[in-house]
C-alpha cells in the first residue's frame, strides 16, 4: 500500500517549510508520492483552506491522504485529527478546516492524534507541520494503522459557513473566494440557482454599485471587459471578466456581501 | 510505458488548479511522473507560453508528454490538439501556443482531441485543464494510443511570431521575454548575430535613450550596475545587469521594440 | 541506489529554469526523485541560501543529495564542488553557500567538479544549473562515483557568518532571516540563551525604538497584535506577532542589528 499524500498549507514557497515537511514524510516512507494542492492559503485563513480542499479532494484517486495544515493554534491544546471516509483520509488540525469536506464525505472514523511515538523529538511549539503532521503522514502513506496513532473520538470542530440568504426576490450571498485570475466565487450553488431562481440575468448590488449582469457559459462568452456571471468549475456562481480581473474592478474582497436581484 | 508529463500553464500556484489537474492525471495513471515547467505564464499570454515551452521542451527525456495549458478560449469551439514529433508529444489548445516548437520539431501526426469517452463528466466550460487535458494526459502517459483520442488533422494554428528586422546598419528587434532576474530577452538569435553582424558592441536605442553596450560572456563579466549584453541560455540576445534588474532600470516591457546599431 | 535530490535555488518559479533543471536530471536518471526545498532565495543572496539549506538538510533521509544553486559567479572561474558527509552529499558553487552546513557536518571528501564528460555541451555561461549541476546531480542520484567527477580538494570557501556579540548585559544580534509570515529570525541560539542569559523577558532596542518583550512558547501564546519572542523551529530567537507580521511592524530587514538587554 502506498497512498498518495496531498499537501494544502499556508506555508508559502519562499521558506523551506514545505521542503522540510516532504523530507520528513520521505524519511518515514521513501516511496511516498507527494502532490502539492497549494501552499498559498492566506496566512491562518481556516475558511479559505476549507474551501480550497473541498473543491480539490475528490479529484484524487481513492485512498489518497489529504493533509491540510492551516493551523493558527499550533503549539496550543487544539487537537490534530485524522478523519477517514469511504474513499479518503484527511489529516488536519481540529479547527474547522474540514467543515466543508465533512458535509460531503461522512466520517467513518475520527482519531485524535496523540501517540508521541510517531512524532519527531523534540517537538517544537511552532512547526507541527514538520514535527507531527509529516511523520504521521509518512506512516499513514505506507498503510499505517489509524488506531495506532491515537484514540477514536466522536466529533470534530465545525465552523459556521458562509451561507446565501433567500428572501422574496432578493438573494444575499457572501464572496467566498477570489482566484488568481480575479474571478469572484460566491456561496450560491448551481443546484440552488436551478431549483430556486432559474433566471438568465440579474441585478448585482453592493455598496453603491448597481450592475446588470447576464449568465454565460464560458469566460470567453463575455465581451472583452464585460462583467459576466457563470457557474464555475467548483459549482458556485462566479463573477468574472473576459481577459480581466473582476475582483480588482469591482473592489470586492472575501467576505463582501453581494445583493442579487434575479431578472428575466 | 510511462511517459514523463510536464505542465506549463497560467494557473498560478495560489489556487488548487494545478493540484487538481495532477489528481486527475494520477487517477488515470497512478504511476505518472509529473514535472512542473511553470504555472506562472502571464494570464492568457499565448506568446509567452510559446516562448517558455520552446526553450524548455528539448531538455526532457525522449518520450516526454508536454502539456501546455494557456487557453483563453476555454469553453469555446477552439480545438484541443496532440502533436507527436520524433521525440515528444505535445498536448495543448490549438491557439498557436505551439508555433515556436513546431518550427524545430516537425509534426509526425496531429490529432484533434474529440473523444468524450476520455473526458471527465460533466465537462465544465471553465476548467478544461481538469476535465479534458488531465484525463487525456493520464491516458497518454501510460502509453495510450493517440488515434483513440480523436481524428487526424493536417494543420495547427500558427501565430505571427516576433521577428527581428535587418536594414543596412540597423537592427530592430522586439523584447520577447523578461525573466525573474529582469534580464531582457530579444528575438535576435546568436546564429543570426554570428552570420549577419559579428560585432562586439553596439548602440542601443529606444524611446529617447541611447546606450553603448558591449557583449560579454557571463553576467558576472559586467561591472556592478553596468548594462551588458550576452547570448543567454536560450540562444537569444539578452540585456542584463550584473547584480541588478535590467528591465526595471530600462523600463522595458515584453513587446518593446529595440533599435540596435552594431558598433566595432 | 537512487538518492533523493533536493533543490534550493534563487531561480524563482516564473521562468522555466527549475523545470529545465529537472528535465536534465531525469535525462540522466529517469527514476530520480526530486524535491524542491525552495526556489525563492533572494536573487544572488548566498547568505540566505546558506541559512535555508542549513535549517532543512537534516530532515531528509540519509543518502540525500542536496543541490544548492545560488551562484552569482556563474560563468566565471569559481569552482563547483561536491561535499560528502557522513549522511549526505552537497553539490553547490564554491562561494560559501555551504558555510553553515559544514560546521555541523564535517566533510569526508570534497571534489572539484571538473570532468566535462558529465556536462551538457555546449556549456552556456549563464545557466550552469542546467548545463553542469543538473547532469552531475542526475549522475550522482543513481549512485555515480564522486571521484569520476573531478579531483579531491582540501578546502572550501567559507563566508564570515553573522554572529551575536555578548557584552556585560547587552547582546547585539543581527537579523538573519525573515520568513513569509514576517517572523524575524536572529543569530541568537537557544543553546546560548540557556547557557549565558537564562531570562524570561528582555528589552529590545533598535534605531529609536525600545520595546519590552517576553519569551513565549508558541505564536498563539501572544495576545493578538503583541510582539513576542520565542525560540522557533530552527533553534534561534525569533520575534513574532500572533496573527501579524513582525518584520513589517518593526520595519526590520535582514542584516538589521538588534540590541537586547535581558530583563528579569
Amino acid at each position: 500500500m502506498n497512498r498518495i499524500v496531498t499537501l494544502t498549507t499556508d506555508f508559502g514557497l519562499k521558506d523551506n517549510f514545505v521542503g522540510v515537511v516532504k523530507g520528513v514524510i520521505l524519511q518515514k516512507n521513501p516511496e511516498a508520492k507527494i502532490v502539492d494542492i497549494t501552499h498559498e492559503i492566506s496566512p491562518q485563513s481556516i475558511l479559505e483552506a476549507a474551501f480550497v480542499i473541498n473543491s480539490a479532494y475528490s479529484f484524487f484517486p481513492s485512498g489518497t491522504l489529504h493533509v491540510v495544515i492551516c493551523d493558527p493554534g499550533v503549539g496550543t491544546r487544539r487537537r490534530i485529527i485524522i478523519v477517514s471516509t469511504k474513499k479518503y483520509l484527511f489529516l488536519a488540525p481540529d479547527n474547522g478546516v474540514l467543515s466543508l469536506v465533512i458535509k460531503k464525505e461522512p466520517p467513518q472514523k475520527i482519531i485524535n492524534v496523540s501517540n508521541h511515538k510517531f512524532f519527531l523529538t523534540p517537538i517544537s511549539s511552532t512547526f507541527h507541520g514538520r514535527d507531527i503532521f509529516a511523520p504521521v503522514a509518512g506512516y499513514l502513506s505506507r498503510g499505517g494503522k489509524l488506531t495506532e496513532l491515537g484514540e477514536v473520538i466522536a466529533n470534530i470542530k465545525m465552523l459556521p459557513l458562509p451561507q446565501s440568504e433567500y428572501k422574496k426576490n432578493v438573494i444575499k450571498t457572501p464572496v467566498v473566494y477570489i482566484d488568481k485570475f480575479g474571478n469572484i466565487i460566491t456561496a450560491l450553488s448551481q443546484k440552488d440557482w436551478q431549483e430556486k431562481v432559474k433566471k438568465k440575468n440579474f441585478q448585482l448590488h453592493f455598496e453603491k454599485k448597481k450592475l446588470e449582469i447576464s449568465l454565460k457559459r464560458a469566460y470567453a462568452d463575455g465581451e472583452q471587459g464585460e462583467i459576466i456571471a457563470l457557474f464555475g468549475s467548483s459549482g458556485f456562481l462566479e463573477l468574472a471578466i473576459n481577459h480581466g480581473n473582476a475582483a480588482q474592478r469591482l473592489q470586492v474582497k472575501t467576505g463582501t456581501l453581494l445583493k442579487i436581484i434575479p431578472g428575466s
Side-chain angles (χ1 to χ4, degrees), chain A:
Chain A
M1 176 158 214
N2 196 13
R3 297 176 187 281
I4 288 168
V5 179
T6 78
L7 301 178
T8 303
T9 79
D10 62 356
F11 291 167
L13 294 172
K14 168 178 146 39
D15 306 303
N16 59 23
F17 304 144
V18 174
V20 164
V21 163
K22 292 179 182 174
V24 175
I25 292 174
L26 290 164
Q27 274 201 30
K28 302 298 172 183
N29 178 9
E31 300 305 318
K33 290 197 85 157
I34 307 168
V35 181
D36 302 303
I37 291 185
T38 182
H39 300 288
E40 301 293 354
I41 300 293
S42 305
Q44 295 131 6
S45 174
I46 296 169
L47 206 59
E48 187 181 318
F51 177 84
V52 166
I53 187 62
N54 182 52
S55 55
Y57 80 90
S58 66
F59 293 96
F60 284 81
S62 189
T64 295
L65 165 64
H66 293 292
V67 181
V68 185
I69 317 178
C70 176
D71 191 12
V74 59
T76 66
R77 286 180 163 278
R78 65 85 188 82
R79 300 188 291 198
I80 293 173
I81 53 172
I82 301 162
V83 175
S84 80
T85 71
K86 199 174 161 204
K87 288 183 68 177
Y88 300 107
L89 292 182
F90 296 87
L91 171 63
D94 186 20
N95 60 12
V97 78
L98 299 179
S99 300
L100 280 160
V101 164
I102 284 318
K103 292 194 162 186
K104 298 192 304 195
E105 297 279 318
Q108 296 188 331
K109 195 174 276 178
I110 308 172
I111 301 286
N112 176 24
V113 176
S114 58
N115 188 345
H116 280 246
K117 197 184 90 183
F118 292 90
F119 306 165
L120 296 199
T121 46
I123 299 174
S124 71
S125 46
T126 56
F127 195 4
H128 286 186
R130 178 189 72 191
D131 301 334
I132 302 180
F133 288 92
V136 167
Y139 169 76
L140 287 171
S141 71
R142 54 186 168 81
K145 231 180 138 185
L146 269 68
T147 47
E148 293 286 305
L149 289 161
E151 64 282 10
V152 174
I153 55 176
N155 291 299
I156 73 169
K157 186 169 171 186
M158 296 294 279
L159 279 186
L161 295 171
Q163 300 284 353
S164 301
E165 199 188 292
Y166 298 79
K167 273 197 191 153
K168 290 195 174 170
N169 275 332
V170 178
I171 310 168
K172 284 183 181 164
T173 188
V175 172
V176 172
Y177 188 74
I178 291 166
D179 74 19
K180 88 128 195 178
F181 297 101
N183 300 320
I184 300 163
I185 292 113
T186 71
L188 214 162
S189 75
Q190 185 160 20
K191 196 165 155 277
D192 277 11
W193 188 273
Q194 281 162 354
E195 286 170 15
K196 304 185 192 171
V197 188
K198 289 178 217 163
K199 303 290 183 183
K200 290 281 187 202
N201 55 55
F202 57 86
Q203 254 192 1
L204 174 71
H205 296 234
F206 70 99
E207 286 165 18
K208 286 172 185 165
K209 296 180 188 112
K210 198 185 291 190
L211 295 156
E212 302 290 337
I213 310 257
S214 58
L215 262 178
K216 307 280 187 184
R217 230 179 49 82
Y219 296 125
D221 290 344
E223 302 294 314
Q224 191 121 356
E226 185 194 1
I227 299 170
I228 59 166
L230 42 71
F231 287 97
S233 58
S234 56
F236 290 90
L237 187 78
E238 273 182 48
L239 299 168
I241 296 177
N242 186 14
H243 281 268
N245 187 308
Q248 255 170 37
R249 169 94 74 82
L250 296 177
Q251 292 285 316
V252 155
K253 290 184 204 161
T254 304
T256 303
L257 205 65
L258 304 174
K259 206 166 99 181
I260 283 171
I261 303 181
S264 55

